[in-house]
Amino acid sequence: MAIDNQQASLDDLRKIEKAVGIVSRRHAPLQSSEDEGDTHGRAGHNEDTDHLFDNSTVESLLKENEECRIYFRTCNGLQTYVDRVVTLIDSQTEAKPEFVPAGGLLPLKKEKKTTNEVKQRMSELSHILKCLSCAALNDHNLSLLSSMNLISLLLRLLCAGDKASAALDSVIDLLNLFSIVADSRKVLALNLKHSSAALERLLSLIGNSDNVILQCVALSTLNNVAMETSIRQLIAAQAQSIADTILEGLRSTHLLVQERTASLMANLCCDKGFRSNFIAGKSCNASLTACLQQTSAGSELATSVLAALSILLLDEKCASDE
């Protein structure tokens, strides 16, 4: 992860601590002012001014400053924000869902809130996830988050479709971070293995040409998680259904989409089941060759295309020799 050298001021750290306190108060059950002995009901804090706090400032501090990311963990920001994610997800359901160990995933049910309330909660959820994504740029934070059931929560949101569309970019950004590091990638792979719906949803996003940034992050996430054999085998079973999406990605007018699609294909081609299912009825060699002819020799795209093409051609030669 990228680490900066900028020092955090005392004011910056206070802003982090205040943000955690605000989220904690939103998450905690309401208490009477008589129990607390103050007029605001929460340990002397004035919640009337909480809405005036600039959330984007916290996102910026966590994104740009390593000391702020460490302090965020120190003042229990990670657990507080994950708890808030649970609350926001559960608030959209008719009843609190039962959490299933090892990544059992339950889709969101029909909202009981008004449209405005749902939008407000989705907006807050998006902010919370962005903060967690920035905090996860610290390796230790990322490791802790992977052990807090956050991955299964993210996959629940991924399966929620339009209900969580406002938070989709933040969900994919976090999943991509988890897919980069080996330990958290294994946790993500285990969760995906237990949720075919989440994997199918992730696969569908690689063809989302309406949002190129989201498409590229989804491609990167799949490419990383496909390093796990179990995920390659699961994707292999759907190779024919996603073949057109992959070939279309190779023909994209966006170089980054082409590069990440070719890299994903080269990775998936390491699985024999994927190769045999993917080739069936598809002119993939012709598409790869056409893509290769249009790119510069020695480029990242050319390297990935050559890797995939060589595996496929070798496979065909072995088959013909038999």
Side-chain angles (χ1 to χ4, degrees), residues 254-300:
H254 298 278
L255 178 60
L256 192 55
V257 173
Q258 285 185 306
E259 289 176 346
R260 296 195 177 182
T261 301
S263 179
L264 173 62
M265 185 173 176
N267 192 355
L268 294 174
C269 279
C270 294
D271 184 89
K272 185 175 181 180
F274 177 85
R275 293 196 302 272
S276 59
N277 290 335
F278 183 81
I279 292 172
K282 299 295 176 184
S283 55
C284 49
N285 287 0
S287 297
L288 284 168
T289 302
C291 183
L292 186 61
Q293 291 172 343
Q294 297 171 10
T295 189
S296 304
S299 66
E300 181 179 339

Side-chain angles (χ1 to χ4, degrees), residues 53-68:
F53 187 75
D54 186 4
N55 290 322
S56 62
T57 300
V58 181
E59 291 177 30
S60 179
L61 288 173
L62 291 172
K63 182 178 181 179
E64 298 171 2
N65 197 290
E66 177 69 358
E67 287 186 9
C68 287

Side-chain angles (χ1 to χ4, degrees), residues 143-157:
S143 177
L144 289 173
L145 286 171
S146 69
S147 67
M148 290 181 180
N149 202 41
L150 179 60
I151 290 177
S152 66
L153 293 171
L154 293 173
L155 295 186
R156 281 179 60 195
L157 286 168

Side-chain angles (χ1 to χ4, degrees), residues 4-13 61 65-68:
D4 58 79
N5 295 318
Q6 181 182 348
Q7 281 192 325
S9 68
L10 184 58
D11 185 52
D12 290 338
L13 299 182
L61 288 173
N65 197 290
E66 177 69 358
E67 287 186 9
C68 287

Side-chain angles (χ1 to χ4, degrees), residues 167-229:
L168 184 59
D169 287 351
S170 302
V171 168
I172 297 301
D173 283 343
L174 262 170
L175 289 176
N176 185 49
L177 285 173
F178 283 123
S179 75
I180 294 172
V181 181
D183 289 343
S184 56
R185 181 170 61 242
K186 292 183 185 299
V187 177
L188 174 56
L190 180 62
N191 278 268
L192 285 171
K193 186 177 178 180
H194 287 84
S195 176
S196 58
L199 182 58
E200 288 174 7
R201 174 69 169 145
L202 192 55
L203 286 167
S204 73
L205 293 177
I206 69 175
N208 183 13
S209 56
D210 293 333
N211 188 336
V212 174
I213 294 177
L214 180 66
Q215 183 182 18
C216 287
V217 179
L219 281 165
S220 178
T221 303
L222 268 176
N223 193 21
N224 291 334
V225 80
M227 295 173 65
E228 303 296 324
T229 304

Side-chain angles (χ1 to χ4, degrees), residues 35-56:
D35 291 339
E36 291 297 318
D38 65 74
T39 59
H40 302 291
R42 291 277 174 81
H45 292 286
N46 189 345
E47 294 181 26
D48 293 336
T49 62
D50 282 357
H51 71 283
L52 299 176
F53 187 75
D54 186 4
N55 290 322
S56 62

